[in-house]
């Protein structure tokens, strides 16, 4: 290579070759590989497009056969190809575009070759003005429609390449223009450029909206997943506290039990010592895991070190809710009795979440809370009437119903939620107290 600009002189040629390869791959190779698009075309597009194609078919047949003196067979062939391309672009856009381009170019060449001195009068204009044979306004408009529908279905680069080749075909057609005829290439370039840019813009906007919807769906899924993990983390922290309390009680009872019996057998002392050792070890592991859980979100609600609530504290909860302006009524059915800590805690949290949702989504509503103490478990029902005033916008996604469902499922219970006929909302949970052991349910 020399320093006189030789290498730089190669760059335009290389760029042209690369552009030619790109066009060949996109338009020729793409058309050869093109398969019928497996999509359902809306009849609101197909029906009017077919009607337009049929109407322009008869118009073009008349022009090709009589105005250009090509005869009816050639007129039907050229006009039929263009009309078929106008409808076929919905399924095979690249092949339809090629058919339209070739029909325009061959129509202009054939009309000029067979009638070298013939010209067509442009309607409603100065009779001294002529239109290039084969490039009448109807023909140009049909190809413009094909270009537009093509741009809606292919990448922007392919649409621009198709526009460029369409214009190039128009310039080739001018080579066969008889002397004295005015060329329609200027009108065609402006129209082709307009519809191509419009089609590319519409496709880009449609893709942007599609990606936005997809991103919103992914964001919603991620938010729901994160909410689920946060709620499970919260439930795990609470249950660790409950289990740790029981393990502490077991450890103390195992330590005290030998002193409650006079001259306890050595085997009993050893067994109780083993029970205490296992309880202490389990308690240590529980506290270690609990420390990891709480270290991820230290004192998030300001109550990480407070005792876990039970149903005995519902009165305090309802007083706080009433102070916030919500009318709440509590009714207990059945014989009240102590329940397993997990059931007590879950029942309290379900009522708490239901009241929070009522305050957020049904301000001014009346709320009815019912606890049904059943032989096999606890029934919790929270119902609110229609809101007394429009609710304020609620930012973000809360735990609400998701937390209720997690707690109910954890205990092997059932949860039903939904609107009531009077415009309110109801939460109904059944929390069993006789859940079989894990190995029994396997």
């Amino acid at each position: 290579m020399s320093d006189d600009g030789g290498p730089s002189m190669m760059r335009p040629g290389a760029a042209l070759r690369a552009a030619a390869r790109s066009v060949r791959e996109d338009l020729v190779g793409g058309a050869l590989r093109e398969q019928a698009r497996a999509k359902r075309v809306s009849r609101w597009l197909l029906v009017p497009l077919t009607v337009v194609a049929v109407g322009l078919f008869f118009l073009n047949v008349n022009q090709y056969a009589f105005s250009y003196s090509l005869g009816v067979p050639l007129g039907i062939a050229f006009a039929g190809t263009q009309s078929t391309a106008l409808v076929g672009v919905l399924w095979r856009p690249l092949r339809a575009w090629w058919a339209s381009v070739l029909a325009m170019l061959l129509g202009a060449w054939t009309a000029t070759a067979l009638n070298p001195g013939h010209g067509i009068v442009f309607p409603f204009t100065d009779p001294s003005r002529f239109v290039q044979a084969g490039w009448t306004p109807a023909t140009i408009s049909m190809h413009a429609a094909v270009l537009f529908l093509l741009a809606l279905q292919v990448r922007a680069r392919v649409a621009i390449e198709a526009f460029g080749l369409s214009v190039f075909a128009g310039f080739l057609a001018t080579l066969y223009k008889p002397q004295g005829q005015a060329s329609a290439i200027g009108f065609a370039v402006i129209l082709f450029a307009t519809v191509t840019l419009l089609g590319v813009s519409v496709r880009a906007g449609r893709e942007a909206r599609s990606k936005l919807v997809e991103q919103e769906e992914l964001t919603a899924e991620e938010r729901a997943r994160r909410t689920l993990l946060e709620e499970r983390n919260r439930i795990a922290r609470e249950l660790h506290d409950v289990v740790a309390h029981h393990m502490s009680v077991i450890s103390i009872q195992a330590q005290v039990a030998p002193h409650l019996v006079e001259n306890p057998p050595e085997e009993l002392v050893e067994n109780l010592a083993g029970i205490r050792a296992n309880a202490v070890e389990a308690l240590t592991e529980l506290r270690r895991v609990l420390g990891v859980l709480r270290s991820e979100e230290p004192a998030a609600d300001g109550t990480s070190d407070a005792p876990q609530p039970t149903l005995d504290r519902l009165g305090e909860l309802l007083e706080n809710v009433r102070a916030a302006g919500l009318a709440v009524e509590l009714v207990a059915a059945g014989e009240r009795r102590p329940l397993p800590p997990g059931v007590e805690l879950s029942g309290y949290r379900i009522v708490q979440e239901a009241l929070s949702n009522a305050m957020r989504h049904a301000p001014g509503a009346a709320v009815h809370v019912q606890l049904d103490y059943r032989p096999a478990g606890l029934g919790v029902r929270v119902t609110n009437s229609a809101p007394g005033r429009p609710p304020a916008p609620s930012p973000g996604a809360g735990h609400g119903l998701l937390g209720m469902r997690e707690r109910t499922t954890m205990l092997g219970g059932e949860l039903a939620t939904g609107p009531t006929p009077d415009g309110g909302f109801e939460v109904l949970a059944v929390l069993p107290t006789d859940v079989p052991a894990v190995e029994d349910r396997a």
Side-chain angles (χ1 to χ4, degrees), residues 200-247:
V200 170
S201 301
V202 172
R203 175 179 169 84
R206 187 172 58 192
E207 289 182 344
R209 289 192 299 271
S210 176
K211 290 180 180 179
L212 180 60
V213 171
E214 181 179 355
Q215 185 61 39
E216 289 178 349
E217 292 177 352
L218 292 176
T219 302
E221 291 177 1
E222 182 62 28
R223 187 186 300 115
R225 188 180 300 111
R226 184 171 62 251
T227 300
L228 177 63
L229 293 177
E230 289 175 356
E231 185 63 18
R232 287 181 176 177
N233 194 354
R234 180 185 177 192
I235 295 173
R237 292 198 306 268
E238 295 175 350
L239 290 182
H240 272 89
D241 288 348
V242 174
V243 175
H245 168 73
H246 284 284
M247 295 304 298

Side-chain angles (χ1 to χ4, degrees), residues 100-390:
S100 180
V101 168
L102 294 177
M104 285 198 308
L105 186 59
L106 291 177
W109 178 83
T110 306
T112 306
L114 296 181
N115 305 279
H118 189 56
I120 306 300
V121 177
F122 197 100
F124 309 111
T125 60
D126 186 351
S128 63
R129 303 276 298 171
F130 294 92
V131 183
Q132 174 190 345
W135 278 68
T136 63
T139 304
I140 294 174
S141 299
M142 290 183 70
H143 187 68
V146 172
L147 259 181
F148 174 71
L149 295 174
L150 172 75
L152 291 178
Q153 303 179 73
V154 298
R155 293 174 297 164
R157 188 182 75 177
V158 178
I160 294 174
E161 291 170 350
F163 160 73
L165 276 188
S166 297
V167 173
F168 179 69
F171 280 109
L172 284 182
T174 61
L175 299 178
Y176 305 103
K177 178 176 65 67
Q179 295 294 329
Q181 280 195 6
S183 176
I185 188 63
F187 168 73
V189 170
I190 295 175
L191 182 60
F192 292 169
T194 301
V195 297
T196 302
L197 290 177
L198 181 61
V200 170
S201 301
V202 172
R203 175 179 169 84
R206 187 172 58 192
E207 289 182 344
R209 289 192 299 271
S210 176
K211 290 180 180 179
L212 180 60
V213 171
E214 181 179 355
Q215 185 61 39
E216 289 178 349
E217 292 177 352
L218 292 176
T219 302
E221 291 177 1
E222 182 62 28
R223 187 186 300 115
R225 188 180 300 111
R226 184 171 62 251
T227 300
L228 177 63
L229 293 177
E230 289 175 356
E231 185 63 18
R232 287 181 176 177
N233 194 354
R234 180 185 177 192
I235 295 173
R237 292 198 306 268
E238 295 175 350
L239 290 182
H240 272 89
D241 288 348
V242 174
V243 175
H245 168 73
H246 284 284
M247 295 304 298
S248 298
V249 172
I250 292 174
S251 174
I252 294 174
Q253 289 177 337
Q255 184 180 12
V256 174
H259 302 286
L260 302 178
V261 180
E262 185 177 354
N263 298 323
E266 183 177 351
E267 292 84 359
L268 177 61
V269 174
E270 290 179 356
N271 286 336
L272 290 174
I275 292 174
R276 182 178 184 279
N278 288 331
V280 171
E281 183 179 356
L283 185 60
T284 302
E285 292 299 326
L286 280 172
R287 286 173 175 168
R288 187 173 298 151
V289 174
L290 182 61
V292 172
L293 290 176
R294 281 182 171 161
S295 64
E296 296 178 355
E297 193 178 352
D301 52 4
T303 60
S304 60
D305 296 327
Q308 297 300 338
T310 63
L311 294 176
D312 292 334
R313 296 179 57 186
L314 271 184
E316 178 183 344
L317 173 64
L318 297 185
E319 288 300 325
N320 293 334
V321 173
R322 292 190 185 104
L326 199 66
V328 185
E329 177 189 10
L330 174 62
V331 176
E335 182 181 355
R336 187 168 183 176
R337 67 186 189 280
L339 299 172
V343 175
E344 291 265 351
L345 175 60
S346 294
Y348 178 91
R349 292 302 189 193
I350 288 174
V351 174
Q352 184 183 43
E353 294 289 358
L355 292 176
S356 298
N357 286 344
M359 294 176 64
R360 186 182 303 113
H361 302 293
V367 182
H368 179 80
V369 179
Q370 179 177 341
L371 299 180
D372 185 9
Y373 289 88
R374 307 175 182 180
L378 174 70
V380 180
R381 181 182 182 184
V382 182
T383 308
N384 64 266
S385 62
R389 58 182 182 273

Side-chain angles (χ1 to χ4, degrees), residues 411 433-442:
L411 296 175
T433 55
D434 55 350
V435 181
V438 175
E439 58 270 16
D440 295 338
R441 288 182 289 167

